[in-house]
Amino acid sequence: MTAPPSPGPRLRAEDLTLCYDQRTVATGLAVDIPDRSFTVIVGPNACGKSTLLTALARMLKPRAGQVYLDGAAIASYRSREVARRLGLLPQSSTAPGGITVGDLVARGRYPHQGLLRQWSADDDTAVVEAMRQTGVLELADRPVDDLSGGQRQRVWLSMVLAQQTPILLLDEPTTYLDIAHQVEVLDLCARLHARDGHTIVAVLHDLNQACRYATHLIVMRPGGVIAAEGDPSTVMTAALVEDVFGLPCRIIDDPETGTPLMVPAAPRRYAPARAAAAPTT
């Protein structure tokens, strides 16, 4: 279907009631995802971050309210059309037994296939480029079952990139990755956002990574409530971190990027020893 021009953000939600396993996670939840932003959602465990993301991807049907994509209710689109407009990397995925990396990444091209369009050289190019971007091209012939957790995560990200959608939804994309590969994946997302104009929405746990990479930050508290949102430089404060996460801290400037850097308060036993006072005469 062809949606009418959208007067607002391409992806937004209004008055959502979200339930998971018969438990109400959020009520009255509304969110606008700024176009061409790198939006990061943070919050304590079980506050509804991933539930919101799956609702935005149409993987979870709201009990009430509506998600809108390009000006139309996302529920009104056919599945293939949704998959041409946004891609989702879930928290955990299971690959078919024995499938190779190349074949799994190629499944990202499914939305572009049809009766009148079969596999083409453009599809080959998209698959190879997606694997190259995530550093798994040399693994193309390896069975996914033989890979480490970090390698698998990069392969799943490759499959999402192969969809070539303008909107990417990433649920904890750095899961299973060591710190070097976490930075690699987030740097890749930042390049896709800055160079290609992708709208990226990611759920992250690390507040400092969120502040470093996000252009738009959404902070959720338990109950699916938006505690704050906006530019990380104005949103991330020590008062907010203590209020939402219960963690006393200091916020300083990241020496590399100038973005907010959260430093947890240390217990007194870890406080630097004060120099002994000079004796008086």
Side-chain angles (χ1 to χ4, degrees):
M1 65 168 290
T2 301
S6 174
R10 296 191 65 177
L11 185 62
R12 61 188 178 89
E14 291 184 359
D15 200 25
L16 296 183
T17 296
L18 302 177
C19 300
Y20 185 76
D21 288 342
Q22 305 303 314
R23 179 175 65 91
T24 299
V25 176
T27 57
L29 180 59
V31 63
D32 288 350
I33 304 300
D35 293 339
R36 297 177 178 268
S37 68
F38 191 159
T39 294
V40 175
I41 305 172
V42 298
N45 289 341
C47 72
K49 304 183 298 294
S50 294
T51 305
L52 171 59
L53 200 74
T54 53
L56 292 174
R58 208 181 73 166
M59 300 298 291
L60 175 68
K61 183 178 180 180
R63 183 72 56 85
Q66 190 61 260
V67 174
Y68 294 93
L69 176 63
D70 289 332
I74 197 170
S76 68
Y77 290 97
R78 296 188 179 191
S79 296
R80 193 184 298 266
E81 183 62 27
V82 173
R84 290 193 188 112
R85 296 171 187 246
L86 62 82
L88 171 68
L89 176 66
Q91 274 191 39
S92 58
S93 302
T94 302
I99 193 170
T100 65
V101 168
D103 287 342
L104 181 61
V105 176
R107 293 192 173 198
R109 300 302 297 166
Y110 163 77
H112 303 278
Q113 307 302 307
L115 292 176
L116 300 179
R117 187 192 183 285
Q118 300 302 308
W119 192 269
S120 69
D122 288 341
D123 296 310
D124 284 327
T125 299
V127 169
V128 170
E129 178 62 15
M131 290 192 290
R132 186 194 64 77
Q133 287 181 314
T134 56
V136 298
L137 185 57
E138 69 278 7
L139 304 176
D141 296 326
R142 292 269 303 275
V144 175
D145 293 340
D146 292 350
L147 304 182
S148 68
Q151 288 172 325
R152 291 185 192 184
Q153 189 72 352
R154 286 187 282 153
V155 170
W156 284 109
L157 181 57
S158 293
M159 190 184 76
V160 176
L161 293 181
Q163 283 181 240
Q164 294 185 318
T165 59
I167 302 173
L168 299 175
L169 307 181
L170 311 175
D171 195 358
E172 300 183 27
T174 56
T175 299
Y176 306 121
L177 300 181
D178 59 37
I179 186 62
H181 286 117
Q182 288 179 31
V183 172
E184 279 185 15
V185 166
L186 292 173
D187 281 347
L188 168 61
C189 293
R191 288 196 301 273
L192 291 169
H193 163 253
R195 183 191 66 200
D196 301 330
H198 285 278
T199 297
I200 296 177
V201 187
V203 170
L204 296 178
H205 278 291
D206 190 306
L207 296 184
N208 291 332
Q209 289 181 346
C211 288
R212 171 174 280 202
Y213 290 96
T215 62
H216 184 76
L217 189 66
I218 296 176
V219 183
M220 296 181 65
R221 65 171 76 250
V225 176
I226 304 296
E229 62 177 311
D231 189 299
S233 63
T234 57
V235 166
M236 189 55 60
T237 65
L240 178 72
V241 174
E242 185 163 9
D243 177 46
V244 173
F245 295 90
L247 179 67
C249 71
R250 294 175 57 198
I251 302 295
I252 62 175
D253 290 341
D254 185 317
E256 290 289 324
T257 62
T259 52
L261 184 70
M262 189 274 296
V263 181
R268 287 183 178 275
R269 65 180 181 275
Y270 295 127
R274 294 181 179 275
T280 57
T281 57

